[in-house]
Amino acid sequence: MGLETSCDDTSVALVNDQREVLACEVLNQDSVHHAFGGIVPEMASRSHTEKLLPALESIMSSTGKSWADVYGIAVTNRPGLMGSLIVGVTTAKALSLFLNKKYIGVHHIEGHIASGFLQDSSYRSPGFFKESFVALVVSGGHTQIYEVRGMAHFQLLSESIDDAAGEVIDKFAKTLGLGFPGGAALDRLGQSGDPNSYVFPTPKVRGRDMDMSFSGLKTAGLRKIESLQSGEGISDPSHLAASFQSTVCDILMDRLQKAVVKTGLRKVVVAGGVSANSVLRERLAHWRNSSGIEVLVPPLRFCTDNAAMIALAGLWRLSRGETSDLNLTVQSRAGLQ
Ligand code: KG4
Ligand code: ZN
């Protein structure tokens, strides 16, 4: 069983030892935070406390499983919003104590990487999780590239030194009037636009050519919208959407390709909410076809935050003999090792 409450999605899932998702409930809180234009941490944790146990009951009854069928419980304990993480971790501790089940704290990014290997009745994933590969995790909170060895060793190769790619996309979308979080809406809008209409910067990090920086791009994007709004007006926002997304993808693809050259690895996993982006998916598909590199991008339902990915990462840790005890704490910031 997986529990995920690190940010603003409440999720519970059951995954079996064939990497198959038996049930996965994801309750987003967009309606709770929408009016504020961003996530309000206190409201996120309160919403998790309201939604988590009903979601848990729902997946147990929909699968017809009993607690005797549950081998162990995996819970995201780092990184994330403190109050939100505490709801999941406290629930996992209580269940483990009361039902005498093993439990394990999982790093949220490790979950995103594991999501590449989830399967269900309509999707089979290649099983290279025991090998070495490069993983890009790109979401509203993270933009990182790792060298992963057998899902047990994670070496950070590249990261954003400031904003996450999804955060910048959301800010740009919000300023264009697409609401929050606006990544998917910006994606749809950009589909009819010309990506070469506007030129945005692709900032470099001095002395760290593998790392990424998105804050300069964010500022340039917002300034462009503001100057158009106060001047000639925005005649067709689809061109802005297409150009901005294309620039974000230029940065991501450049570092991902550098990571592949640096490691010599020929297998890649791309996960996290922004990997739902259609431009990024097209670029990745083109790269796969032209280079022969195996690029695995999970189906959209596994890309965004969900508890199935936490269950799978936790299952692998439990099966290696690792467990957490009741001293497990939550961490708002934590590297993945
Ligand atoms: O992984 P995720 O669900 O949560 C975090 O851990 O952040 O990612 C959410 C992010 C948001 O920034 C959202 O706008 C973005 O993923 N996103 C997209 C798309 N769908 C979701 N960004 C670009 N294109 C999309 N189609
Ligand atoms: Zn995430």
Side-chain angles (χ1 to χ4, degrees):
M1 172 177 284
L3 307 181
E4 159 63 45
T5 63
S6 66
C7 191
D8 62 336
D9 289 305
T10 312
S11 182
V12 187
L14 286 175
V15 171
N16 70 13
D17 59 2
Q18 301 300 305
R19 300 183 273 129
E20 289 160 342
V21 182
L22 305 180
C24 181
E25 187 129 337
V26 184
L27 304 166
N28 81 48
Q29 304 178 357
D30 290 352
S31 62
V32 174
H33 305 288
H34 188 84
F36 301 94
I39 296 163
V40 184
E42 291 79 4
M43 294 175 81
S45 46
R46 187 189 309 162
S47 181
H48 287 309
T49 56
E50 287 164 4
K51 290 177 172 149
L52 189 56
L53 291 181
L56 212 153
E57 280 167 0
S58 155
I59 60 154
M60 293 303 270
S61 67
S62 73
T63 53
K65 298 286 178 195
S66 73
W67 282 105
D69 300 315
V70 176
Y71 171 70
I73 301 163
V75 61
T76 311
N77 76 316
R78 64 196 193 282
L81 300 171
M82 291 299 260
S84 291
L85 288 165
I86 285 169
V87 178
V89 168
T90 310
T91 305
K93 283 183 181 176
L95 290 170
S96 129
L97 200 61
F98 187 64
L99 299 162
N100 199 22
K101 298 287 173 194
K102 298 178 206 187
Y103 99 106
I104 181 97
V106 169
H107 194 290
H108 183 77
I109 300 295
E110 185 177 341
H112 272 302
I113 299 172
S115 76
F117 304 102
L118 287 169
Q119 318 197 96
D120 63 16
S121 53
S122 53
Y123 175 73
R124 307 316 283 171
S125 156
F128 62 75
F129 58 93
K130 291 188 178 145
E131 301 172 32
S132 294
F133 58 92
V134 169
L136 165 67
V137 177
V138 56
S139 71
H142 312 276
T143 310
Q144 296 179 325
I145 301 175
Y146 288 89
E147 177 178 344
V148 182
R149 276 175 281 135
M151 280 308 293
H153 303 280
F154 304 87
Q155 192 188 337
L156 186 64
L157 299 172
S158 167
E159 65 180 334
S160 171
I161 59 155
D162 40 53
D163 299 344
E167 201 178 339
V168 167
I169 285 175
D170 286 344
K171 190 85 195 176
F172 188 79
K174 191 176 147 200
T175 311
L176 264 186
L178 299 175
F180 175 87
L186 192 74
D187 191 357
R188 279 192 298 277
L189 179 65
Q191 273 159 18
S192 56
D194 174 3
N196 300 313
S197 310
Y198 297 94
V199 177
F200 291 112
T202 53
K204 304 264 183 303
V205 184
R206 197 175 299 153
R208 294 163 63 180
D209 66 332
M210 285 298 289
D211 283 332
M212 298 169 262
S213 167
F214 288 97
S215 73
L217 170 61
K218 176 180 74 181
T219 308
L222 302 189
R223 287 228 177 99
K224 187 80 218 170
I225 297 174
E226 281 155 16
S227 78
L228 287 170
Q229 278 168 341
S230 61
E232 69 210 63
I234 301 172
S235 56
D236 189 345
S238 71
H239 296 322
L240 273 173
S243 304
F244 192 79
Q245 287 177 84
S246 173
T247 311
V248 172
C249 292
D250 288 343
I251 299 172
L252 295 172
M253 290 303 299
D254 177 76
R255 301 311 189 277
L256 192 53
Q257 285 165 337
K258 282 192 174 123
V260 163
V261 170
K262 187 172 178 166
T263 57
L265 295 169
R266 307 276 301 163
K267 291 186 167 67
V268 172
V269 171
V270 180
V274 179
S275 64
N277 186 263
S278 62
V279 180
L280 185 59
R281 283 178 173 250
E282 264 168 42
R283 300 265 189 107
L284 290 166
H286 182 262
W287 185 39
R288 175 173 44 212
N289 294 339
S290 61
S291 67
I293 286 166
E294 190 170 351
V295 183
L296 168 52
V297 192
L300 301 188
R301 61 189 174 284
F302 299 151
C303 284
T304 47
D305 284 356
N306 68 84
M309 66 189 199
I310 302 302
L312 183 58
L315 175 63
W316 282 330
R317 284 196 177 263
L318 288 175
S319 58
R320 291 200 296 264
E322 294 175 33
T323 51
S324 295
D325 63 26
L326 290 176
N327 293 321
L328 181 74
T329 53
V330 301
Q331 289 167 268
S332 60
R333 300 169 72 87
L336 170 61
Q337 274 119 28

